[in-house]
Amino acid sequence: MEEHWDGLLMVLIAGIVFFISYRSFRTWVRKPLTLRSRLGFQMNEVILDHPAVHLLERAGYEVVSDKLKVPLAFKVNDSLLHSRMFIDYIVQRDGELYLVRIARERSGIEWTGSGIRKELLPYLLLYPECAGVLYVDADHGEIKEITLTTDDDE
Protein backbone atom coordinates (compact mmCIF):
# COMPACT_ATOMS: atom_id res chain seq x y z
CA MET A 1 0.00 0.00 0.00
CA GLU A 2 2.86 2.35 0.87
CA GLU A 3 4.51 1.75 -2.53
CA HIS A 4 1.28 2.92 -4.20
CA TRP A 5 1.41 6.27 -2.37
CA ASP A 6 5.13 6.69 -3.11
CA GLY A 7 4.51 6.23 -6.82
CA LEU A 8 1.54 8.61 -6.75
CA LEU A 9 3.61 11.21 -4.89
CA MET A 10 6.42 10.91 -7.47
CA VAL A 11 3.95 11.39 -10.34
CA LEU A 12 2.47 14.43 -8.57
CA ILE A 13 5.91 16.00 -7.99
CA ALA A 14 6.93 15.30 -11.61
CA GLY A 15 3.68 16.92 -12.81
CA ILE A 16 4.29 20.04 -10.74
CA VAL A 17 7.90 20.32 -11.97
CA PHE A 18 6.75 19.86 -15.57
CA PHE A 19 4.00 22.50 -15.16
CA ILE A 20 6.38 25.07 -13.64
CA SER A 21 8.98 24.38 -16.35
CA TYR A 22 6.36 24.71 -19.09
CA ARG A 23 5.04 28.02 -17.71
CA SER A 24 8.56 29.43 -17.29
CA PHE A 25 9.53 28.45 -20.82
CA ARG A 26 6.30 29.89 -22.24
CA THR A 27 6.84 33.17 -20.40
CA TRP A 28 10.45 33.34 -21.58
CA VAL A 29 9.46 32.73 -25.22
CA ARG A 30 6.75 35.40 -25.14
CA LYS A 31 8.94 37.98 -23.41
CA PRO A 32 9.86 40.70 -25.92
CA LEU A 33 13.48 41.38 -26.68
CA THR A 34 14.64 44.50 -24.92
CA LEU A 35 16.61 47.09 -26.80
CA ARG A 36 19.22 48.60 -24.56
CA SER A 37 19.46 52.34 -25.00
CA ARG A 38 22.82 53.56 -26.15
CA LEU A 39 21.88 57.08 -25.12
CA GLY A 40 22.26 56.60 -21.35
CA PHE A 41 21.34 59.16 -18.74
CA GLN A 42 23.19 62.40 -18.26
CA MET A 43 21.65 63.35 -14.92
CA ASN A 44 20.84 67.00 -14.34
CA GLU A 45 21.36 67.29 -10.59
CA VAL A 46 20.15 70.89 -10.29
CA ILE A 47 16.45 70.40 -9.54
CA LEU A 48 14.31 73.51 -9.90
CA ASP A 49 11.34 74.08 -7.62
CA HIS A 50 8.05 73.03 -9.23
CA PRO A 51 4.68 71.81 -7.87
CA ALA A 52 5.26 68.48 -9.61
CA VAL A 53 8.43 67.93 -7.56
CA HIS A 54 6.50 68.35 -4.31
CA LEU A 55 3.74 66.04 -5.56
CA LEU A 56 6.25 63.34 -6.51
CA GLU A 57 8.07 63.60 -3.18
CA ARG A 58 4.78 63.32 -1.24
CA ALA A 59 4.01 60.17 -3.25
CA GLY A 60 7.31 58.59 -2.12
CA TYR A 61 9.48 59.25 -5.17
CA GLU A 62 12.96 60.74 -4.97
CA VAL A 63 13.69 63.21 -7.78
CA VAL A 64 17.18 62.40 -9.05
CA SER A 65 17.32 64.55 -12.18
CA ASP A 66 15.63 67.63 -13.59
CA LYS A 67 14.75 68.22 -17.25
CA LEU A 68 16.82 66.35 -19.81
CA LYS A 69 17.10 66.93 -23.52
CA VAL A 70 17.68 63.71 -25.46
CA PRO A 71 19.16 64.51 -28.87
CA LEU A 72 18.11 62.17 -31.67
CA ALA A 73 19.46 61.76 -35.18
CA PHE A 74 17.84 59.78 -37.98
CA LYS A 75 19.56 58.80 -41.17
CA VAL A 76 17.13 58.68 -44.08
CA ASN A 77 18.90 57.56 -47.25
CA ASP A 78 21.79 60.03 -47.34
CA SER A 79 20.17 62.77 -45.25
CA LEU A 80 20.71 63.21 -41.53
CA LEU A 81 17.66 64.53 -39.70
CA HIS A 82 17.84 65.83 -36.15
CA SER A 83 15.24 65.97 -33.42
CA ARG A 84 15.04 65.76 -29.65
CA MET A 85 12.85 64.46 -26.87
CA PHE A 86 12.45 66.01 -23.46
CA ILE A 87 12.20 64.17 -20.17
CA ASP A 88 10.87 66.42 -17.42
CA TYR A 89 12.28 64.48 -14.45
CA ILE A 90 13.82 61.17 -13.53
CA VAL A 91 12.65 59.80 -10.20
CA GLN A 92 13.50 56.76 -8.15
CA ARG A 93 11.45 54.61 -5.79
CA ASP A 94 12.32 51.19 -4.38
CA GLY A 95 15.44 51.04 -6.54
CA GLU A 96 13.46 51.54 -9.77
CA LEU A 97 13.91 54.50 -12.11
CA TYR A 98 10.88 56.23 -13.69
CA LEU A 99 10.78 58.85 -16.42
CA VAL A 100 8.43 61.74 -15.69
CA ARG A 101 6.32 63.65 -18.14
CA ILE A 102 4.48 66.74 -16.88
CA ALA A 103 0.95 67.42 -18.13
CA ARG A 104 0.71 70.50 -20.30
CA GLU A 105 -2.48 72.33 -21.02
CA ARG A 106 -1.86 72.72 -24.76
CA SER A 107 -0.73 69.14 -25.41
CA GLY A 108 -2.89 66.68 -23.54
CA ILE A 109 -2.89 62.93 -23.86
CA GLU A 110 -5.85 60.98 -25.14
CA TRP A 111 -6.24 58.24 -22.50
CA THR A 112 -6.79 55.38 -24.91
CA GLY A 113 -4.39 52.63 -25.92
CA SER A 114 -3.50 54.37 -29.16
CA GLY A 115 -3.17 57.77 -27.46
CA ILE A 116 -0.77 56.42 -24.86
CA ARG A 117 1.15 54.54 -27.56
CA LYS A 118 1.52 57.70 -29.61
CA GLU A 119 2.65 59.93 -26.75
CA LEU A 120 4.50 57.71 -24.28
CA LEU A 121 5.73 54.56 -26.06
CA PRO A 122 8.87 56.29 -27.39
CA TYR A 123 9.97 56.95 -23.78
CA LEU A 124 9.36 53.34 -22.76
CA LEU A 125 11.26 51.98 -25.78
CA LEU A 126 14.12 54.48 -25.55
CA TYR A 127 14.90 53.51 -21.94
CA PRO A 128 13.64 49.95 -21.36
CA GLU A 129 15.64 49.68 -18.14
CA CYS A 130 13.25 52.17 -16.53
CA ALA A 131 10.26 50.78 -14.65
CA GLY A 132 7.85 53.07 -16.49
CA VAL A 133 6.70 56.61 -17.17
CA LEU A 134 4.93 58.78 -14.64
CA TYR A 135 2.47 61.28 -16.08
CA VAL A 136 2.12 64.08 -13.53
CA ASP A 137 -0.77 66.54 -13.54
CA ALA A 138 0.27 68.98 -10.82
CA ASP A 139 -2.86 71.12 -11.28
CA HIS A 140 -5.12 68.18 -10.34
CA GLY A 141 -2.65 66.47 -7.98
CA GLU A 142 -2.56 63.27 -10.05
CA ILE A 143 0.25 60.86 -10.84
CA LYS A 144 -0.42 58.14 -13.38
CA GLU A 145 2.09 55.29 -13.71
CA ILE A 146 2.35 53.86 -17.20
CA THR A 147 4.22 50.61 -17.80
CA LEU A 148 4.55 48.51 -20.91
CA THR A 149 3.00 45.07 -20.50
CA THR A 150 1.56 42.29 -22.60
CA ASP A 151 -2.05 41.20 -22.67
CA ASP A 152 -2.02 37.41 -22.37
CA ASP A 153 -5.74 37.21 -23.20
CA GLU A 154 -5.27 38.29 -26.83
Side-chain angles (χ1 to χ4, degrees):
M1 181 74 176
E2 188 175 318
E3 293 173 2
H4 173 70
W5 288 108
D6 288 344
L8 185 61
L9 185 59
M10 292 300 287
V11 169
L12 182 64
I13 290 172
I16 291 171
V17 169
F18 176 75
F19 177 75
I20 291 171
S21 299
Y22 171 75
R23 292 287 298 194
S24 299
F25 179 74
R26 190 171 151 217
T27 302
W28 176 73
V29 167
R30 289 184 174 199
K31 185 177 181 180
L33 296 174
T34 57
L35 302 172
R36 290 284 171 211
S37 176
R38 292 182 290 173
L39 301 177
F41 283 130
Q42 303 256 342
M43 298 289 191
N44 183 0
E45 297 174 2
V46 178
I47 299 166
L48 302 176
D49 193 37
H50 190 276
V53 173
H54 303 294
L55 183 62
L56 288 163
E57 289 173 344
R58 282 194 307 269
Y61 295 96
E62 176 191 358
V63 180
V64 294
S65 179
D66 204 328
K67 184 175 281 250
L68 299 175
K69 180 172 67 170
V70 181
L72 302 171
F74 302 95
K75 188 170 185 179
V76 180
N77 294 332
D78 293 330
S79 300
L80 191 61
L81 306 173
H82 296 278
S83 185
R84 60 188 172 268
M85 288 178 57
F86 291 97
I87 299 170
D88 292 313
Y89 297 100
I90 298 174
V91 297
Q92 183 175 7
R93 182 170 76 176
D94 300 330
E96 298 281 348
L97 289 175
Y98 293 86
L99 306 176
V100 176
R101 174 114 183 257
I102 303 293
R104 288 173 180 72
E105 193 174 311
R106 61 193 151 125
S107 61
I109 290 182
E110 183 180 330
W111 290 103
T112 62
S114 60
I116 292 171
R117 180 195 69 226
K118 180 181 175 187
E119 294 294 326
L120 300 178
L121 183 63
Y123 295 97
L124 294 168
L125 294 177
L126 193 59
Y127 294 106
E129 62 273 6
C130 288
V133 174
L134 301 177
Y135 187 80
V136 178
D137 188 344
D139 294 337
H140 293 102
E142 290 181 330
I143 299 175
K144 294 181 181 179
E145 182 179 324
I146 299 97
T147 58
L148 184 60
T149 185
T150 59
D151 187 5
D152 289 335
D153 294 338
E154 287 187 14

